[in-house]
Amino acid sequence: MIILKITFYSSTNEVLKELGSRIKAARIAAQTTQKEMAERTNLSQKTISNLENGKDVSFSTVIEVLRELGQLQSLEIMIPEQGIRPSQIVKYGKQPERVRSRTNTKPEADSGWKWGDEQ
């Protein structure tokens, strides 16, 4: 049985700590120290430490560390490329490039429409 540690209900801090823990485990498995990782990625050792301890770091920092660990392809799994759905082909003839604001779909307060049981 797989227990998910990161779910929809996880707080941002919980997610950062879990990702930091996983990155630390990958670094240790690669037998690399924080100092060596910092040198290879042109980041400071403090930045590597912050990442591994679940502190908020830039996404480019995460990319550089994943690249050095040989885990950059993990981003493909995290956010897969979105394919075009058949309904989009029918409706637009192609994949939409943006989303427009929805128009007000609520009926106006006095539209004259009634359920039929009002007096």
Side-chain angles (χ1 to χ4, degrees):
M1 177 179 188
I2 297 174
I3 298 176
L4 298 176
K5 294 184 178 184
I6 299 174
T7 69
F8 176 80
Y9 301 105
S10 299
S11 71
T12 299
N13 286 336
E14 290 170 333
V15 173
L16 288 171
K17 286 183 184 205
E18 182 60 28
L19 290 176
S21 175
R22 292 180 189 189
I23 288 172
K24 180 178 182 178
R27 177 186 56 77
I28 290 170
Q31 298 182 341
T32 303
T33 66
Q34 285 184 345
K35 183 178 180 181
E36 292 168 338
M37 179 64 67
E39 290 170 356
R40 292 180 191 156
T41 58
N42 292 320
L43 299 168
S44 71
Q45 187 173 347
K46 179 69 174 166
T47 299
I48 302 298
S49 176
N50 285 343
L51 172 61
E52 291 181 357
N53 288 309
K55 303 260 171 61
D56 200 359
V57 297
S58 72
F59 196 66
S60 61
T61 295
V62 175
I63 290 171
E64 289 305 316
V65 170
L66 289 176
R67 177 178 285 120
E68 180 58 34
L69 291 170
Q71 296 289 326
L72 192 58
Q73 72 280 4
S74 298
L75 294 178
E76 279 288 333
I77 297 166
M78 186 172 79
I79 306 172
E81 187 174 350
Q82 298 297 307
I84 187 165
R85 297 188 318 253
S87 62
Q88 291 173 323
I89 295 172
V90 170
K91 187 172 183 178
Y92 304 108
K94 62 178 182 169
Q95 185 167 356
E97 295 176 9
R98 64 181 189 172
V99 176
R100 294 192 176 157
S101 298
R102 300 185 196 281
T103 58
N104 186 2
T105 58
K106 295 180 183 178
E108 294 181 21
D110 189 20
S111 65
W113 186 87
K114 305 245 187 249
W115 281 103
D117 59 353
E118 295 91 359
Q119 297 221 9

Coordinates of all heavy atoms in Angstrom, one line a residue, residues 32-109:
T32 N 27.1 12.7 -2.3 CA 27.6 14.1 -2.5 C 27.3 14.9 -1.3 O 26.2 14.8 -0.7 CB 26.8 14.7 -3.7 OG1 27.1 13.9 -4.9 CG2 27.3 16.1 -4.0
T33 N 28.2 15.7 -0.9 CA 28.0 16.6 0.3 C 27.3 17.9 -0.2 O 27.3 18.2 -1.4 CB 29.3 17.0 0.9 OG1 30.1 17.8 0.0 CG2 30.2 15.8 1.4
Q34 N 26.8 18.6 0.8 CA 26.1 19.9 0.5 C 27.1 20.8 -0.2 O 26.8 21.5 -1.1 CB 25.5 20.5 1.7 CG 24.2 19.9 2.2 CD 23.6 20.6 3.4 OE1 24.3 21.5 4.0 NE2 22.4 20.4 3.6
K35 N 28.4 20.8 0.4 CA 29.4 21.7 -0.2 C 29.7 21.4 -1.6 O 29.8 22.2 -2.5 CB 30.7 21.6 0.7 CG 31.8 22.5 0.2 CD 33.0 22.4 1.1 CE 34.1 23.3 0.7 NZ 35.3 23.2 1.5
E36 N 29.8 20.1 -2.0 CA 30.1 19.6 -3.3 C 28.9 20.0 -4.2 O 29.1 20.5 -5.4 CB 30.3 18.1 -3.4 CG 31.6 17.7 -2.7 CD 31.7 16.2 -2.5 OE1 30.6 15.5 -2.5 OE2 32.8 15.7 -2.4
M37 N 27.7 19.8 -3.7 CA 26.5 20.2 -4.5 C 26.5 21.7 -4.8 O 26.2 22.1 -5.9 CB 25.2 19.8 -3.8 CG 23.9 20.1 -4.5 SD 23.7 19.3 -6.1 CE 23.5 17.6 -5.5
A38 N 26.8 22.5 -3.8 CA 26.9 23.9 -4.0 C 27.9 24.3 -5.0 O 27.6 25.2 -5.9 CB 27.2 24.6 -2.6
E39 N 29.1 23.7 -5.0 CA 30.1 24.0 -6.0 C 29.7 23.6 -7.4 O 29.9 24.4 -8.3 CB 31.4 23.3 -5.6 CG 32.1 23.9 -4.4 CD 33.2 23.0 -3.8 OE1 33.5 21.9 -4.4 OE2 33.8 23.5 -2.9
R40 N 29.1 22.5 -7.5 CA 28.6 22.0 -8.9 C 27.5 22.8 -9.5 O 27.3 22.8 -10.7 CB 28.3 20.5 -8.8 CG 29.4 19.6 -8.5 CD 29.0 18.2 -8.4 NE 30.0 17.3 -7.9 CZ 29.8 16.2 -7.3 NH1 28.6 15.7 -7.2 NH2 30.8 15.5 -6.9
T41 N 26.7 23.4 -8.6 CA 25.5 24.1 -9.1 C 25.7 25.6 -9.1 O 24.7 26.4 -9.4 CB 24.3 23.7 -8.3 OG1 24.5 24.0 -6.9 CG2 23.9 22.3 -8.4
N42 N 26.8 26.1 -8.6 CA 27.1 27.5 -8.4 C 26.1 28.2 -7.5 O 25.6 29.3 -7.7 CB 27.1 28.3 -9.8 CG 28.3 27.9 -10.6 OD1 29.4 27.7 -10.1 ND2 28.1 27.7 -11.9
L43 N 25.7 27.4 -6.5 CA 24.8 27.9 -5.4 C 25.6 27.9 -4.1 O 26.6 27.3 -4.0 CB 23.5 27.0 -5.3 CG 22.6 26.9 -6.5 CD1 21.6 25.8 -6.3 CD2 21.9 28.3 -6.8
S44 N 25.1 28.6 -3.1 CA 25.8 28.6 -1.8 C 25.3 27.3 -1.1 O 24.3 26.7 -1.3 CB 25.4 29.8 -1.0 OG 24.1 29.8 -0.6
Q45 N 26.2 26.9 -0.1 CA 25.9 25.8 0.7 C 24.7 26.1 1.6 O 23.8 25.2 1.8 CB 27.1 25.4 1.6 CG 26.9 24.2 2.4 CD 28.1 23.7 3.2 OE1 29.2 24.3 2.9 NE2 28.0 22.8 4.1
K46 N 24.5 27.3 2.0 CA 23.3 27.7 2.7 C 22.0 27.5 1.9 O 21.0 27.1 2.4 CB 23.5 29.2 3.2 CG 22.3 29.7 3.9 CD 22.2 29.1 5.3 CE 21.1 29.8 6.1 NZ 20.8 29.0 7.3
T47 N 22.1 27.8 0.6 CA 20.9 27.6 -0.3 C 20.6 26.2 -0.4 O 19.4 25.8 -0.3 CB 21.2 28.2 -1.7 OG1 21.4 29.6 -1.5 CG2 20.0 28.0 -2.6
I48 N 21.6 25.3 -0.5 CA 21.3 23.9 -0.5 C 20.7 23.4 0.8 O 19.7 22.6 0.8 CB 22.6 23.1 -0.8 CG1 23.3 23.5 -2.1 CG2 22.4 21.6 -0.8 CD1 22.4 23.3 -3.4
S49 N 21.2 23.9 1.9 CA 20.7 23.6 3.2 C 19.2 24.0 3.3 O 18.4 23.3 3.8 CB 21.6 24.2 4.3 OG 21.0 24.0 5.6
N50 N 19.0 25.3 2.9 CA 17.6 25.8 3.0 C 16.7 24.9 2.2 O 15.6 24.6 2.6 CB 17.6 27.2 2.5 CG 18.1 28.2 3.4 OD1 18.3 27.9 4.6 ND2 18.4 29.4 3.0
L51 N 17.1 24.5 1.0 CA 16.2 23.6 0.1 C 15.9 22.3 0.8 O 14.8 21.9 0.9 CB 16.9 23.4 -1.2 CG 16.3 22.4 -2.1 CD1 14.9 22.8 -2.5 CD2 17.1 22.2 -3.4
E52 N 17.0 21.7 1.4 CA 16.8 20.4 2.0 C 16.0 20.5 3.3 O 15.4 19.5 3.7 CB 18.2 19.8 2.3 CG 18.9 19.4 1.0 CD 20.2 18.7 1.3 OE1 20.6 18.6 2.4 OE2 20.8 18.3 0.3
N53 N 16.0 21.6 3.9 CA 15.2 21.8 5.2 C 13.8 22.4 5.0 O 13.1 22.7 5.9 CB 16.0 22.7 6.1 CG 17.2 22.0 6.7 OD1 17.1 20.9 7.2 ND2 18.4 22.6 6.6
G54 N 13.4 22.4 3.7 CA 12.0 22.8 3.4 C 11.8 24.3 3.4 O 10.7 24.8 3.5
K55 N 12.9 25.1 3.3 CA 12.7 26.6 3.3 C 12.3 26.9 1.8 O 12.6 26.2 0.9 CB 14.0 27.2 3.7 CG 14.4 26.9 5.1 CD 14.1 27.9 6.1 CE 14.3 27.5 7.5 NZ 15.6 27.2 8.0
D56 N 11.7 28.1 1.7 CA 11.3 28.5 0.4 C 12.5 29.0 -0.4 O 13.2 30.0 0.0 CB 10.3 29.7 0.5 CG 9.4 29.9 -0.7 OD1 9.6 29.2 -1.7 OD2 8.6 30.8 -0.7
V57 N 12.8 28.4 -1.5 CA 13.9 28.8 -2.4 C 13.3 29.0 -3.8 O 12.2 28.6 -4.1 CB 15.0 27.7 -2.5 CG1 15.7 27.6 -1.1 CG2 14.5 26.4 -3.0
S58 N 14.1 29.6 -4.7 CA 13.6 29.8 -6.1 C 13.4 28.5 -6.8 O 14.1 27.6 -6.6 CB 14.5 30.8 -6.8 OG 15.7 30.2 -7.2
F59 N 12.5 28.5 -7.8 CA 12.3 27.4 -8.6 C 13.6 27.1 -9.4 O 13.9 25.9 -9.7 CB 11.1 27.5 -9.5 CG 10.6 26.3 -10.1 CD1 10.1 25.3 -9.3 CD2 10.6 26.0 -11.5 CE1 9.6 24.1 -9.8 CE2 10.2 24.8 -12.0 CZ 9.7 23.9 -11.2
S60 N 14.3 28.1 -9.8 CA 15.5 27.9 -10.6 C 16.5 27.1 -9.8 O 17.3 26.3 -10.3 CB 16.1 29.2 -11.2 OG 16.4 30.1 -10.1
T61 N 16.5 27.4 -8.5 CA 17.4 26.6 -7.6 C 17.1 25.1 -7.6 O 17.9 24.3 -7.7 CB 17.3 27.1 -6.1 OG1 17.8 28.5 -6.1 CG2 18.1 26.3 -5.1
V62 N 15.8 24.8 -7.5 CA 15.3 23.4 -7.6 C 15.7 22.8 -8.9 O 16.2 21.7 -8.9 CB 13.8 23.3 -7.4 CG1 13.3 21.9 -7.5 CG2 13.4 23.9 -6.0
I63 N 15.6 23.5 -10.0 CA 16.0 23.0 -11.3 C 17.4 22.7 -11.3 O 17.8 21.6 -11.8 CB 15.6 24.0 -12.4 CG1 14.1 24.1 -12.6 CG2 16.2 23.6 -13.7 CD1 13.6 25.2 -13.5
E64 N 18.3 23.6 -10.9 CA 19.7 23.3 -10.9 C 20.1 22.1 -10.0 O 21.0 21.3 -10.5 CB 20.5 24.6 -10.4 CG 20.5 25.7 -11.4 CD 21.0 25.3 -12.8 OE1 22.0 24.6 -12.9 OE2 20.3 25.7 -13.7
V65 N 19.5 22.0 -8.9 CA 19.8 20.8 -8.0 C 19.3 19.5 -8.6 O 20.0 18.5 -8.7 CB 19.2 21.0 -6.6 CG1 19.3 19.8 -5.8 CG2 20.0 22.2 -5.9
L66 N 18.1 19.5 -9.2 CA 17.6 18.3 -9.9 C 18.5 18.0 -11.0 O 18.7 16.8 -11.3 CB 16.1 18.6 -10.3 CG 15.1 18.6 -9.2 CD1 13.7 18.9 -9.8 CD2 15.0 17.3 -8.4
R67 N 18.9 18.9 -11.8 CA 19.8 18.7 -12.9 C 21.1 18.0 -12.5 O 21.5 17.0 -13.0 CB 20.1 20.0 -13.7 CG 21.1 19.8 -14.8 CD 21.4 21.0 -15.6 NE 20.2 21.4 -16.4 CZ 19.6 22.5 -16.3 NH1 19.9 23.4 -15.4 NH2 18.5 22.7 -17.1
E68 N 21.7 18.5 -11.4 CA 22.9 17.9 -10.9 C 22.7 16.5 -10.3 O 23.6 15.7 -10.5 CB 23.5 18.8 -9.8 CG 24.8 18.3 -9.2 CD 25.9 18.2 -10.2 OE1 26.0 19.0 -11.2 OE2 26.7 17.2 -10.0
L69 N 21.5 16.3 -9.8 CA 21.2 14.9 -9.3 C 20.8 13.9 -10.4 O 20.5 12.8 -10.1 CB 20.2 15.0 -8.2 CG 20.6 15.7 -6.9 CD1 19.4 16.0 -6.0 CD2 21.6 14.9 -6.2
G70 N 20.6 14.4 -11.6 CA 20.2 13.6 -12.7 C 18.7 13.3 -12.6 O 18.2 12.3 -13.0
Q71 N 17.9 14.2 -11.9 CA 16.5 14.0 -11.7 C 15.6 15.1 -12.4 O 14.5 15.2 -12.1 CB 16.2 14.1 -10.2 CG 16.9 13.0 -9.4 CD 16.2 11.7 -9.7 OE1 15.0 11.6 -9.9 NE2 17.0 10.6 -9.7
L72 N 16.2 15.8 -13.3 CA 15.4 16.9 -14.0 C 14.2 16.4 -14.7 O 13.2 17.0 -14.8 CB 16.3 17.7 -14.9 CG 15.8 19.0 -15.5 CD1 15.4 19.9 -14.3 CD2 16.8 19.7 -16.4
Q73 N 14.3 15.1 -15.2 CA 13.2 14.5 -15.9 C 12.0 14.4 -15.0 O 10.9 14.1 -15.5 CB 13.6 13.2 -16.6 CG 13.8 12.1 -15.6 CD 15.2 12.0 -14.9 OE1 16.0 13.0 -15.1 NE2 15.4 11.0 -14.2
S74 N 12.2 14.4 -13.7 CA 11.1 14.3 -12.8 C 10.0 15.4 -13.0 O 8.9 15.2 -12.7 CB 11.6 14.4 -11.3 OG 12.5 13.3 -11.0
L75 N 10.5 16.5 -13.5 CA 9.5 17.6 -13.8 C 8.5 17.2 -14.9 O 7.4 17.7 -14.9 CB 10.2 18.9 -14.2 CG 11.1 19.5 -13.1 CD1 11.8 20.7 -13.6 CD2 10.2 19.8 -11.9
E76 N 8.9 16.3 -15.8 CA 8.0 15.8 -16.8 C 6.8 15.0 -16.2 O 5.7 15.1 -16.7 CB 8.7 14.9 -17.8 CG 9.5 15.6 -18.9 CD 8.6 16.2 -19.9 OE1 7.5 15.8 -20.2 OE2 9.1 17.2 -20.5
I77 N 7.1 14.3 -15.1 CA 6.1 13.6 -14.4 C 5.2 14.5 -13.6 O 4.0 14.4 -13.5 CB 6.7 12.5 -13.5 CG1 7.5 11.5 -14.4 CG2 5.7 11.8 -12.7 CD1 8.4 10.6 -13.6
M78 N 5.9 15.5 -13.0 CA 5.2 16.4 -12.1 C 4.1 17.3 -12.9 O 3.0 17.4 -12.5 CB 6.2 17.4 -11.5 CG 5.5 18.3 -10.4 SD 6.7 19.2 -9.5 CE 7.2 20.5 -10.6
I79 N 4.5 17.8 -14.1 CA 3.6 18.6 -14.9 C 3.7 18.1 -16.3 O 4.5 18.6 -17.1 CB 4.0 20.1 -14.8 CG1 4.1 20.6 -13.4 CG2 3.0 20.9 -15.6 CD1 4.6 22.0 -13.2
P80 N 2.9 17.1 -16.6 CA 3.0 16.5 -18.0 C 2.5 17.5 -19.0 O 1.7 18.4 -18.7 CB 2.1 15.3 -17.9 CG 1.2 15.5 -16.8 CD 2.0 16.4 -15.8
E81 N 3.0 17.4 -20.2 CA 2.6 18.2 -21.4 C 1.1 17.9 -21.6 O 0.6 16.8 -21.6 CB 3.4 17.9 -22.6 CG 3.1 18.8 -23.7 CD 4.0 18.6 -24.9 OE1 5.0 17.8 -24.8 OE2 3.8 19.2 -26.0
Q82 N 0.3 19.0 -21.8 CA -1.1 18.8 -22.1 C -1.4 18.6 -23.5 O -1.0 19.4 -24.4 CB -1.9 20.1 -21.6 CG -1.7 20.4 -20.1 CD -2.3 19.3 -19.3 OE1 -3.5 18.9 -19.4 NE2 -1.5 18.7 -18.4
G83 N -2.0 17.5 -23.8 CA -2.4 17.2 -25.2 C -3.7 17.8 -25.5 O -4.5 18.3 -24.7
I84 N -4.0 17.9 -26.8 CA -5.3 18.4 -27.2 C -6.4 17.4 -27.1 O -6.2 16.2 -27.4 CB -5.2 19.0 -28.7 CG1 -6.5 19.7 -29.1 CG2 -4.9 17.8 -29.6 CD1 -6.3 20.5 -30.3
R85 N -7.5 17.8 -26.5 CA -8.6 16.9 -26.3 C -9.5 17.0 -27.6 O -9.6 18.0 -28.3 CB -9.5 17.4 -25.1 CG -8.7 17.3 -23.8 CD -9.5 17.6 -22.6 NE -10.5 18.6 -22.7 CZ -10.4 19.8 -22.1 NH1 -9.4 20.1 -21.4 NH2 -11.3 20.7 -22.3
P86 N -10.1 15.8 -27.9 CA -11.0 15.8 -29.1 C -12.1 16.9 -29.1 O -12.4 17.5 -30.1 CB -11.6 14.4 -29.0 CG -10.7 13.6 -28.3 CD -10.1 14.5 -27.3
S87 N -12.6 17.2 -27.9 CA -13.6 18.3 -27.9 C -13.1 19.6 -28.3 O -13.8 20.5 -28.8 CB -14.3 18.3 -26.5 OG -13.3 18.7 -25.5
Q88 N -11.8 19.9 -28.0 CA -11.1 21.1 -28.4 C -11.0 21.2 -29.9 O -11.1 22.2 -30.5 CB -9.8 21.3 -27.7 CG -9.9 21.5 -26.2 CD -8.6 21.4 -25.5 OE1 -7.7 20.7 -25.9 NE2 -8.4 22.3 -24.5
I89 N -10.7 20.1 -30.5 CA -10.5 20.0 -32.0 C -11.9 20.4 -32.6 O -11.9 21.2 -33.5 CB -10.1 18.6 -32.5 CG1 -8.7 18.3 -32.0 CG2 -10.1 18.5 -34.0 CD1 -8.2 16.9 -32.2
V90 N -12.9 19.8 -32.1 CA -14.3 20.1 -32.6 C -14.6 21.6 -32.4 O -15.1 22.2 -33.3 CB -15.3 19.2 -32.0 CG1 -16.7 19.6 -32.4 CG2 -15.1 17.7 -32.4
K91 N -14.4 22.1 -31.2 CA -14.8 23.4 -30.9 C -13.9 24.5 -31.5 O -14.4 25.5 -32.0 CB -14.9 23.6 -29.4 CG -15.4 24.9 -28.9 CD -15.6 24.9 -27.4 CE -16.3 26.2 -27.0 NZ -16.5 26.3 -25.5
Y92 N -12.6 24.3 -31.4 CA -11.7 25.4 -31.9 C -10.9 25.1 -33.1 O -10.3 25.9 -33.7 CB -10.7 25.7 -30.8 CG -11.3 26.1 -29.4 CD1 -11.3 25.2 -28.4 CD2 -11.9 27.3 -29.3 CE1 -11.9 25.6 -27.2 CE2 -12.5 27.7 -28.1 CZ -12.5 26.8 -27.0 OH -13.1 27.1 -25.8
G93 N -10.8 23.8 -33.5 CA -10.0 23.4 -34.6 C -8.5 23.3 -34.2 O -7.7 22.9 -35.0
K94 N -8.2 23.6 -33.0 CA -6.8 23.5 -32.5 C -6.9 23.6 -31.0 O -7.9 23.9 -30.4 CB -6.0 24.6 -33.0 CG -6.4 26.0 -32.6 CD -5.6 27.1 -33.2 CE -6.1 28.5 -32.7 NZ -5.2 29.5 -32.9
Q95 N -5.7 23.5 -30.3 CA -5.7 23.6 -28.9 C -5.7 25.1 -28.5 O -5.0 25.9 -29.1 CB -4.4 23.0 -28.3 CG -4.3 23.0 -26.8 CD -3.2 22.2 -26.3 OE1 -2.6 21.5 -27.0 NE2 -3.1 22.2 -25.0
P96 N -6.6 25.5 -27.6 CA -6.7 26.9 -27.2 C -5.4 27.4 -26.6 O -4.7 26.6 -25.9 CB -7.8 27.0 -26.2 CG -8.3 25.6 -26.0 CD -7.5 24.7 -26.9
E97 N -5.0 28.6 -26.8 CA -3.8 29.2 -26.3 C -4.0 30.1 -25.1 O -3.0 30.4 -24.4 CB -3.1 30.0 -27.4 CG -2.7 29.2 -28.6 CD -2.1 29.9 -29.7 OE1 -1.8 31.2 -29.5 OE2 -1.9 29.4 -30.8
R98 N -5.2 30.4 -24.8 CA -5.5 31.2 -23.6 C -7.0 30.9 -23.2 O -7.8 30.3 -23.9 CB -5.3 32.7 -23.8 CG -6.3 33.2 -24.9 CD -6.0 34.7 -25.1 NE -7.0 35.2 -25.9 CZ -7.2 36.5 -26.2 NH1 -6.3 37.4 -25.7 NH2 -8.1 36.9 -27.0
V99 N -7.3 31.4 -22.0 CA -8.6 31.2 -21.5 C -9.2 32.6 -21.3 O -8.6 33.5 -20.7 CB -8.6 30.5 -20.1 CG1 -10.0 30.4 -19.5 CG2 -8.0 29.1 -20.3
R100 N -10.4 32.9 -21.7 CA -11.0 34.2 -21.6 C -11.9 34.2 -20.3 O -12.3 33.1 -19.9 CB -11.9 34.5 -22.8 CG -11.1 34.6 -24.0 CD -12.0 35.2 -25.1 NE -11.1 35.5 -26.3 CZ -11.5 35.5 -27.5 NH1 -12.8 35.4 -27.8 NH2 -10.6 35.8 -28.4
S101 N -12.1 35.4 -19.8 CA -12.9 35.5 -18.6 C -14.3 35.0 -19.0 O -14.8 35.3 -20.1 CB -13.0 36.9 -18.2 OG -11.7 37.4 -17.8
R102 N -15.0 34.4 -18.0 CA -16.3 33.9 -18.3 C -17.3 35.1 -18.1 O -17.1 36.0 -17.3 CB -16.7 32.9 -17.3 CG -15.8 31.7 -17.3 CD -16.4 30.6 -16.4 NE -15.4 29.6 -16.1 CZ -15.1 28.5 -16.9 NH1 -15.7 28.4 -18.0 NH2 -14.2 27.6 -16.5
T103 N -18.3 35.1 -19.0 CA -19.3 36.2 -18.9 C -20.2 35.9 -17.7 O -20.3 34.7 -17.2 CB -20.1 36.3 -20.2 OG1 -20.7 35.0 -20.4 CG2 -19.3 36.7 -21.3
N104 N -20.9 36.8 -17.2 CA -21.8 36.7 -16.1 C -22.9 35.7 -16.5 O -23.7 36.0 -17.3 CB -22.3 38.0 -15.6 CG -23.1 37.9 -14.4 OD1 -23.2 36.8 -13.8 ND2 -23.7 39.0 -13.9
T105 N -22.9 34.5 -15.9 CA -23.9 33.5 -16.2 C -25.0 33.5 -15.2 O -26.0 32.7 -15.4 CB -23.2 32.1 -16.2 OG1 -22.6 31.8 -15.0 CG2 -22.2 32.0 -17.3
K106 N -25.0 34.3 -14.2 CA -26.1 34.4 -13.2 C -27.2 35.2 -13.9 O -27.0 36.2 -14.5 CB -25.6 35.1 -11.9 CG -24.6 34.4 -11.2 CD -24.2 35.2 -10.0 CE -23.1 34.5 -9.2 NZ -22.6 35.2 -8.0
P107 N -28.4 34.7 -13.6 CA -29.6 35.5 -14.2 C -29.7 36.8 -13.4 O -29.3 36.9 -12.3 CB -30.8 34.6 -13.9 CG -30.4 33.6 -12.8 CD -28.9 33.5 -12.9
E108 N -30.1 37.8 -14.2 CA -30.3 39.1 -13.5 C -31.4 39.0 -12.5 O -32.2 38.1 -12.5 CB -30.7 40.1 -14.6 CG -29.6 40.4 -15.6 CD -30.0 41.4 -16.6 OE1 -31.0 42.2 -16.3 OE2 -29.4 41.4 -17.7
A109 N -31.3 39.9 -11.5 CA -32.2 39.9 -10.3 C -33.6 39.9 -10.8 O -34.5 39.2 -10.2 CB -31.9 41.0 -9.4

